[in-house]
Structures are given as C-alpha cells and as structure tokens.
Amino acid sequence: MLVVMLLFSFSVSLNAQTNDHSKDEYKLIIFSELCYDQFFGNAEVSSDCISDTISRTISILMVAFAIMNQLPQIHKIWKSQSIQGISFNAYYTELYLLSFITAYNLYKQTKFILYGENAIVGLEYSIVLSLFIFYDKNLNFHQWLFKAVFFILINTPLYIGLGPQWIFDMTIYINMSLLFMARFLQIRLNCQNRNTGQLSLLTQLQNSAGSIARLFTLFNDNADFSYMIYVLEDNIMGSILLMQIIKTWRAERTKNQKNHDISEQSTCEDIKYDQI
C-alpha cells in the first residue's frame, strides 16, 4: 500500500502541473495578478481579492502541512507499542477514500491545492496500516498482503486511465459512502470499548481544523457541489470522533486525579499510624 501510494503521489505531482491552470497567473504564490496590483499598488483592495487570497493561502498551507497530519498518531502508536482502540478496517477504508478522491479531482481537473493533501495523508495512512503488522496479533502478514494487493488492483485502473467514465462520475458518491463507513467503524469501536484507545487527540484536531478550512476554500472557489457535501460530511463525522476522544481524555484525567488523591490519602494515614 505504501509503494502504490508513493506512485500515486508521483502521478499527482505530474498531473498537478496541467490541472492547476491558474499557476502562471499568480504572483508570490498566493496573489493573482489583479489582487497583487491591488494589494501592492494604489488601487482599493476589493473583498473578492481578500477572500481569494485567504482561500489560496489556506489551501497551500493545508497541502504543505498535510505531512504533519498523522505524525502524532504514528508517534503515539510507536511510543505505546500498541494499536489498541484503532480500527484497521476504518483506516483501510479511508485509504480507499483518499485515493479515490485524488483520482476524482484529477479526472475533474480540479486545482491541485484543493485536494493535494489527500495524496500526502494517504501515504501516512499507509504507514499507520503497516504498523498493524507489528502490533496487531489478530492480523497476520498474509492477510495484510492480500488487502494491499486488492487495494492496488482496485486503484491502479483509475490512475492509468483504464477505468470507465461512469466510475469517475460516481467516485464522489462512492467516497461519501466510504467516508461514512470508515468513520462509523471507528465510532462504533469507540462505543464498544467505551474509550478511544491509542487514537491521537492532536491528529483528530488537525483533521477537524483542516476539514473546516477546506470547506471555506471550496465555497470560495465555487468547487463541485458534490465535493462540498463530501467535505461537510467529513466535518460532521470528524466532530463526532473528536468529541469521543475528548470525552475519553477527560474521563482518564478524572480517573488519574482520583487515584492520585486516594494515594495521597493512604500516605497520610500511614504517616499518622506510624506516629501513633
């Protein structure tokens, strides 16, 4: 999975040069020619220029900092040597989603800065899934390899142009279903365990912040309506996960505080007994 996502990322970087038609029209990366003249000239700055510049800046930052998305989660798994509470199927399903949404945007010739973070985060998801080989006793290498090969067979036609057109037309709706399924699997596991295990609060905070920011950029750029609905769904499901993680964090903090108070009380009683 990691290898195929690397190949897909290389394909995305090549296609991005032709898909982002506005590349040559921008100065200092974030300013269109018109807005550049308004910001640095004597002309009055219009609200459209302010909105466009903010939107493009957010999009570029999202792509640039996407590499930070899963690092807290990877670090937490590595440090704890455990994947307890993390659903393999949820991550595996969402990896399909990240790959499909990239293929969909390449097909629609969307600006690279509006979807580029998906390919980067997909690489990080592949790393998380690879960690399951070492820390999940219920998943053997042959099972993992079968899932990896199946992933490659399903995704490769979309990137080399062999997939039928109706697949691309239906991709965004498939992604909506995959997003719901992936998040539902993790939310259900959290409910069953009554905690979120090794899920990273920082990673989920980044996901939620990124989803909100991406929704703003899509509205500003008049992106495909179906893609807007997909991002809105991402916001809703991500918010549920975030609330679950915060609830678990607060419960563990309260439990640790109670244990600390009991420990201090026992120590004080021991001292009093010894003095008697």
Side-chain angles (χ1 to χ4, degrees), residues 108-214:
K108 287 288 187 177
Q109 295 190 338
T110 308
K111 295 178 183 178
F112 176 71
I113 60 172
L114 292 179
Y115 69 91
E117 73 274 10
N118 291 281
I120 299 173
V121 174
L123 286 171
E124 296 175 328
Y125 268 55
S126 298
I127 295 174
V128 173
L129 289 170
S130 298
L131 293 174
F132 274 79
I133 300 176
F134 304 100
Y135 303 126
D136 188 354
K137 297 179 181 179
N138 297 320
L139 180 71
N140 60 51
F141 177 74
H142 296 290
Q143 293 173 323
W144 185 93
L145 183 62
F146 173 79
K147 291 179 180 293
V149 171
F150 186 77
F151 175 84
I152 294 172
L153 292 176
I154 291 295
N155 284 271
T156 299
L158 299 178
Y159 285 85
I160 61 178
L162 295 180
Q165 183 174 344
W166 68 266
I167 288 290
F168 291 103
D169 294 334
M170 293 295 295
T171 296
I172 189 63
Y173 304 106
I174 296 172
N175 281 348
M176 290 179 187
S177 302
L178 288 174
L179 176 62
F180 178 82
M181 185 183 302
R183 299 295 170 83
F184 174 76
L185 288 171
Q186 186 62 63
I187 291 170
R188 185 182 65 176
L189 182 61
N190 294 340
C191 292
Q192 290 174 345
N193 295 338
R194 296 187 177 182
N195 65 71
T196 53
Q198 298 302 320
L199 282 178
S200 170
L201 174 61
L202 183 56
T203 289
Q204 193 55 50
L205 282 172
Q206 291 183 74
N207 287 339
S208 297
S211 294
I212 294 172
R214 175 57 72 215

Side-chain angles (χ1 to χ4, degrees), residues 211-243:
S211 294
I212 294 172
R214 175 57 72 215
L215 193 61
F216 168 77
T217 62
L218 291 177
F219 275 111
N220 185 74
D221 283 272
N222 296 318
D224 184 76
F225 179 74
S226 299
Y227 191 30
M228 291 183 183
I229 297 299
Y230 159 78
V231 176
L232 181 61
E233 180 188 4
D234 185 25
N235 273 271
I236 295 172
M237 302 296 285
S239 297
I240 296 174
L241 273 174
L242 182 59
M243 287 188 291

